Amino acid sequence: MKWTKKAILCASEIQKAVETLNKLQSNAEYIKQAKIRNNPQNNLLEMEKFLNRSGLYFDQLDKLPVIHITGTNGKGTTCSYCENILRNHGYKTGFFSSPHLIEVRERIRLNGIPISQDDFAKHFWRIYNQLDKVKSASYDMPLYFRFLTLMALHIFLSAQVDVAILEVGIGGEYDCTNIVRKTLVAGITPLDIDHTLLLGNSIESIAWNKAGIMKPNAEVFCVQQPEAAMKVLKDRSKERKCNFHVVEDHYTYNKVSRIPLHVLRTNASLSLSISEAFMKLRPNHNKFNLEMAKQSIEHTQWPGRYEIIPRNNSVFYLDGAHTEDSMQVCSDWFLSKTGQDNRKRVLIFNVIGQRDPEKLLIILLKCDFDIAIFTTNNFDDDYLKNAVNKNTSDNKDVINPAPYHKERCSENAKVWQYLNSSATVHMFESFPQAVKFLENHTDTQFNVLVTGSIHLLGAALFVLDRTLKGLL
């Protein structure tokens, strides 16, 4: 590839922007102060402060037509279905999601496409410099996710989108995306036990937090939930004076799908209800067309979820499962795709943070892996020396040092050996090293399941498909 002077300057600007963005979660004094300021109840107060400092006020934000989606499993997929349906019906769409896989600009999309590197850098520096100019102390800047949320709202208003689809980060009640006061339509995907330090360790507590996105007079659609969770959701919908609807799995799909059918049916049914309701509230020149909507769903690409990528002597099966329910689905999906061939089965796994690896790994025992590989989400120096694109600043963990990742990798391996004493286990510092190990066995064919962490999938796709099927 021949780099022009303009392209080099653009790449340099976005790299500087990403590195500066990363400092919003890595500066030592900033982290110290953030722990004080990051009480969940203060989250929206902080968000409002930075919103106003950046030149954006509620009277402007209230004009943004919003679809807000929360849940535990499938919220990103449901958002992407809604985005594709509405775009194909002629709406100009904005879509904010998290986390990203390869590049941070994936999180902010216009008409389904991540904003360009040039636009990312331009908007980043405009907002960053404005906030930096009026800060009261060196640490008086928004946290990483708050900044990106703020940036997305600015971009969507500037672009005059017909609809802004916002995926909640964590929870709902105190999530910074909940700075939006007026929501036309909201959706709640299947709930599961996750992020317990922030949301509580009961399904009732998690449901209460997720229900925080309910707004007065909004149309709120929810899939079937455990009975205890559904009671909380219904009670909160009455408190919030919204119109609450329970969506049945009515979606039918006639083709062979790479996605497990019941998962597809649940997410698709919810997205159809949300999209149709939005079109009734904000009609354009098109009427809701069910067949067009179903085709939109069937053609939606959401990388890293039930994705299959062949490479040399291996076929990689990628899914970002990181809760017990989603791991059950992931393991069943892998078995359904690989059960009839003679390839050796390989697990590549990682999990960090507060999640308990044993609860996930015990589910994966039924896959009867021949080899289990435990690796970090990081990149090794040898790989980067020879990589075409050496910039991994979008994927760096700027909070946890490399020894932490190695230690967690070792702990995950020990859990697997405890669960399966006869297991063949390997540990590598990076996903590229794991791939190299498999490719060195040229006389062996492998089916490889990569799971446990969205961030691991980011590292995997950096190697297996750097363009995300042409999205980047």
Side-chain angles (χ1 to χ4, degrees):
M1 177 181 179
K2 186 176 180 181
W3 287 78
T4 65
K5 185 176 181 181
K6 183 178 179 180
I8 291 170
L9 286 172
C10 177
S12 174
E13 278 300 300
I14 193 170
Q15 185 170 347
K16 284 195 291 184
V18 171
E19 289 170 354
T20 304
L21 175 65
N22 286 343
K23 289 177 183 176
L24 294 180
Q25 59 181 331
S26 64
N27 178 276
E29 179 61 24
Y30 188 81
I31 293 171
K32 176 183 174 183
Q33 294 296 328
K35 288 179 179 177
I36 299 170
R37 296 156 50 211
N38 204 29
N39 184 305
Q41 286 82 355
N42 292 335
N43 206 12
L44 294 179
L45 292 174
E46 286 276 303
M47 190 66 186
E48 183 181 356
K49 177 182 75 174
F50 294 121
L51 191 77
N52 294 342
R53 285 184 182 179
S54 71
L56 190 55
Y57 299 91
F58 279 129
D59 60 341
Q60 298 164 284
L61 192 56
D62 289 346
K63 296 174 183 176
L64 189 65
V66 170
I67 291 174
H68 206 180
I69 295 179
T70 189
T72 308
N73 300 320
K75 61 182 185 290
T77 303
T78 300
C79 284
S80 65
Y81 286 165
C82 290
E83 188 281 325
N84 213 3
I85 291 169
L86 292 171
R87 174 160 42 88
N88 286 329
H89 277 84
Y91 290 83
K92 184 176 184 180
T93 63
F95 177 17
F96 178 63
S97 66
S98 63
H100 61 274
L101 291 169
I102 304 291
E103 296 186 34
V104 67
R105 62 191 179 92
E106 294 168 43
R107 297 180 183 226
I108 304 173
R109 307 186 189 199
L110 292 174
N111 284 329
I113 304 298
I115 61 172
S116 69
Q117 292 183 336
D118 190 40
D119 282 345
F120 184 94
K122 179 181 70 175
H123 286 287
F124 174 86
W125 288 117
R126 177 177 61 82
I127 297 168
Y128 183 89
N129 289 335
Q130 172 64 22
L131 293 173
D132 187 60
K133 183 171 62 177
V134 296
K135 67 185 180 184
S136 61
S138 61
Y139 53 81
D140 188 22
M141 292 285 281
L143 295 164
Y144 183 96
F145 186 72
R146 288 177 189 161
F147 189 96
L148 288 171
T149 304
L150 184 62
M151 188 171 160
L153 296 174
H154 271 274
I155 290 170
F156 296 157
L157 283 166
S158 175
Q160 297 182 316
V161 299
D162 299 320
V163 56
I165 300 164
L166 306 181
E167 178 189 353
V168 166
I170 296 175
E173 178 74 21
Y174 305 117
D175 187 79
C176 61
T177 62
N178 212 26
I179 193 67
V180 175
R181 300 189 307 181
K182 294 188 176 181
T183 302
L184 292 171
V185 186
I188 304 174
T189 69
L191 301 183
D192 198 356
I193 303 295
D194 197 20
H195 298 297
T196 54
L197 286 180
L198 291 172
L199 307 182
N201 56 12
S202 70
I203 196 67
E204 293 91 343
S205 173
I206 288 169
W208 186 91
N209 274 281
K210 304 287 185 180
I213 67 167
M214 295 177 179
K215 302 294 192 307
N217 301 315
E219 300 296 325
V220 179
F221 294 88
C222 179
V223 300
Q224 291 291 342
Q225 307 286 356
E227 185 178 350
M230 188 63 85
K231 183 180 185 307
V232 173
L233 295 172
K234 288 180 176 178
D235 288 345
R236 292 215 76 194
S237 71
K238 293 173 185 175
E239 294 170 11
R240 294 296 177 97
K241 295 181 172 58
C242 65
N243 303 311
F244 187 76
H245 313 272
V246 178
V247 176
E248 302 294 333
D249 287 355
H250 58 269
Y251 181 81
T252 56
Y253 188 78
N254 298 321
K255 299 179 182 178
V256 176
S257 172
R258 65 182 176 86
I259 300 172
L261 187 57
H262 71 282
V263 174
L264 172 64
R265 191 178 290 131
T266 298
N267 294 335
S269 298
L270 181 59
S271 64
L272 288 173
S273 297
I274 290 170
S275 302
E276 185 174 16
F278 180 85
M279 289 187 67
K280 287 178 180 176
L281 293 169
R282 298 293 291 241
N284 67 356
H285 55 280
N286 292 316
K287 290 185 178 180
F288 180 77
N289 183 311
L290 180 59
E291 284 307 310
M292 179 189 289
K294 291 174 71 171
Q295 287 178 21
S296 299
I297 289 170
E298 291 164 12
H299 289 98
T300 297
Q301 295 289 342
W302 193 232
R305 283 74 169 181
Y306 308 110
E307 188 166 5
I308 302 172
I309 302 177
R311 176 183 166 115
N312 296 329
N313 60 330
S314 299
V315 179
F316 290 87
Y317 296 79
L318 291 82
D319 184 57
H322 54 271
T323 67
E324 292 177 64
D325 283 354
S326 61
M327 193 59 78
Q328 289 282 6
V329 176
C330 173
S331 57
D332 289 343
W333 167 72
F334 178 72
L335 285 172
S336 72
K337 297 294 183 183
T338 63
Q340 304 303 315
D341 64 39
N342 296 319
R343 290 171 174 260
K344 287 200 169 185
R345 291 181 188 164
V346 178
L347 171 66
I348 300 182
F349 181 91
N350 191 35
V351 65
I352 58 173
Q354 301 300 319
R355 294 188 177 96
D356 182 351
E358 183 172 349
K359 290 182 178 179
L360 302 179
L361 288 171
I362 199 168
I363 296 167
L364 292 167
L365 287 173
K366 64 184 176 184
C367 293
D368 195 23
F369 292 104
D370 299 286
I371 300 169
I373 295 174
F374 296 88
T375 181
T376 73
N377 304 331
N378 298 329
F379 294 91
D380 58 282
D381 292 339
D382 287 341
Y383 174 76
L384 292 177
K385 283 178 187 174
N386 300 312
V388 174
N389 188 331
K390 297 178 172 61
N391 180 23
T392 59
S393 54
D394 295 68
N395 303 81
K396 284 181 180 176
D397 185 340
V398 295
I399 297 177
N400 298 305
Y404 164 82
H405 287 272
K406 291 179 183 178
E407 182 179 345
R408 286 305 306 268
C409 182
S410 177
E411 289 171 0
N412 295 337
K414 287 176 182 175
V415 170
W416 183 255
Q417 288 173 316
Y418 166 75
L419 294 171
N420 183 3
S421 58
S422 61
T424 300
V425 174
H426 297 276
M427 287 185 291
F428 296 104
E429 288 187 23
S430 71
F431 185 84
Q433 289 182 7
V435 173
K436 186 177 181 181
F437 166 80
L438 296 174
E439 291 181 341
N440 284 340
H441 290 74
T442 54
D443 58 343
T444 309
Q445 301 290 306
F446 298 106
N447 283 320
V448 187
L449 176 62
V450 185
T451 191
S453 164
I454 293 288
H455 300 288
L456 174 62
L457 293 193
L461 287 167
F462 195 96
V463 176
L464 301 175
D465 178 13
R466 183 68 177 79
T467 71
L468 300 183
K469 293 188 176 178
L471 189 66
L472 293 177

